[in-house]
Amino acid sequence: MQPPVLASDVGTSSPARLRSALARAQALFEATPDGVLVVSPDGRVAAVNPAFCRMFGLGTGPSEVVGLELQQLWERFHALFVDTAAFELRAREAMGAAGVGRRQSWPLTDGRFLEFEVVPVGDEGSAPELLWLWRDATDQARLRAVEALVRPVEQNLSFLDELTGLFNRRGFLGHARPQLDAAARLHRPMLLIFVDLDGLKPINDRLGHAAGDQALVDTAAVLRSTFRERDIIARLGGDEFVVLVTDASLVNPDGLLARLDFGVSRFDPGSPETLEELLSQADRRMYREKRRRKLGEAH
C-alpha cells in the first residue's frame, strides 16, 4: 500500500531523494496516532493507516477495507455512532465542497468522542483525493463537559460573600438592577436599606478576628430573619450590609428603624433613580441616624 503524498518536490529530486521522501511519508502515515482515511476521486477507499483500523475495530487491518466504496466502509462500523443517521448525513456532506475543512465531533456508543475533518490533496487541475483525519477527542470532550457543569457553580460562588453566604457587592448589583427595572415598569415602590455593624473594630482588637467574623455571621442571620426570602440581602464588604426590599408596601420602615440601625432610601417608580444613587442616599441617612442617636444618648 502506497501512502498518500501530501506535499513533495519530486520534479527536481533524484531517485534516492524521492525514495527517502516516500519512506518518511510512509513512516509518518503508519506511526501517527490519528486515524487517516484516503478516499479516491471516485469515492473508494484508497488507503487507511493502522490507527484508523484500531479506532474502528478493523481487526484484519487495511487490506479489509481498501478498494471499498465509502458507503460500504461506513456500513462496517456506522453502528458505533450514537446517532447513525445524523453521522451518515454529515459524512455525505463532508464529501462536498461545503464540508471540506470543517471539524466535527461525534459521540460513540462506547463512550468515546471522535473528531474528523476532511482535507483535499492532489495536484491542481485534477480531481483531488480526500484525506479524512480522525482524532480521539474523548478526554477533551469529557473536560468540556466537566467545565460546563462547574462553570455555573463557580459563577454562583463569585456572587456570594464567603463568610456570611449572603450576596457580595457584585451579586447584589447583578440581582438588584433587574428588580429595579421591573419595579419601574410595574410602578411598584421599593426600599433600599443600608446597614453597618457598630463596634466591629473594637471586637477584632479585643477579642480577635474570629469573634469579629462571628459578629458578621450573626448580623447576616438577623437580617435573614428580619426580611423575606424574596428580598435581596448582601454584605458589601467590611461591616456594611444592604437590603433591597422588593415590595415596600409590605414593610414599615419606621418599625425597622426602631429595631435596627438602618439608613433607608425609597425607590419611587414615578421618578426612578439608579441603584448607586439609592445606595448613596441610604448610606448618608444611616450615618445621620447614628449621629442623631449618639447626640440623644449624650444629653
Side-chain angles (χ1 to χ4, degrees), residues 76-112:
R76 296 289 182 95
F77 52 74
H78 68 85
L80 288 174
F81 292 89
V82 171
D83 191 336
T84 300
F87 167 72
E88 291 187 347
L89 175 63
R90 294 295 180 271
R92 286 195 295 271
E93 290 177 350
M95 296 292 290
V100 169
R102 189 176 64 186
R103 181 170 296 181
Q104 302 188 41
S105 179
W106 290 93
L108 271 60
T109 54
D110 60 7
R112 289 180 295 157

Side-chain angles (χ1 to χ4, degrees), residues 188-206:
R188 187 177 67 230
M190 286 180 152
L191 289 178
L192 190 139
I193 302 173
F194 200 95
V195 188
D196 78 348
L197 176 61
D198 283 341
L200 181 61
K201 187 177 185 304
I203 292 175
N204 286 330
D205 292 343
R206 293 199 306 267

Side-chain angles (χ1 to χ4, degrees), residues 25 65 72 81 88 157 170 223 260:
V65 295
Q72 293 175 313
F81 292 89
E88 291 187 347
L157 290 176
R170 179 183 178 189
L223 293 175
L260 298 169

Side-chain angles (χ1 to χ4, degrees), residues 2-155:
Q2 292 297 319
V5 179
L6 306 186
S8 63
D9 183 15
V10 298
T12 58
S13 297
S14 67
R17 287 183 177 178
L18 179 57
R19 287 194 297 272
S20 178
L22 289 173
R24 289 196 299 271
Q26 178 71 37
L28 178 63
F29 184 69
E30 298 286 340
T32 179
D34 293 342
V36 181
L37 163 67
V38 184
V39 181
S40 64
D42 64 356
R44 292 184 177 274
V45 178
V48 293
N49 70 343
F52 181 89
C53 295
R54 291 192 297 270
M55 196 173 284
F56 291 101
L58 303 175
T60 59
S63 60
E64 181 179 342
V65 295
V66 170
L68 293 179
E69 292 182 355
L70 195 57
Q71 183 61 39
Q72 293 175 313
L73 175 65
W74 297 148
E75 290 172 358
R76 296 289 182 95
F77 52 74
H78 68 85
L80 288 174
F81 292 89
V82 171
D83 191 336
T84 300
F87 167 72
E88 291 187 347
L89 175 63
R90 294 295 180 271
R92 286 195 295 271
E93 290 177 350
M95 296 292 290
V100 169
R102 189 176 64 186
R103 181 170 296 181
Q104 302 188 41
S105 179
W106 290 93
L108 271 60
T109 54
D110 60 7
R112 289 180 295 157
F113 281 80
L114 298 184
E115 288 182 348
F116 78 82
E117 60 181 315
V118 181
V119 180
V121 294
D123 298 329
E124 291 186 9
S126 61
E129 292 184 323
L130 293 180
L131 192 69
W132 292 61
L133 304 176
W134 294 81
R135 174 166 296 176
D136 190 329
T138 304
D139 290 342
Q140 297 92 320
R142 288 174 179 170
L143 180 59
R144 288 194 295 268
V146 170
E147 288 175 345
L149 292 173
V150 170
R151 194 175 299 115
V153 176
E154 290 178 340
Q155 290 172 344

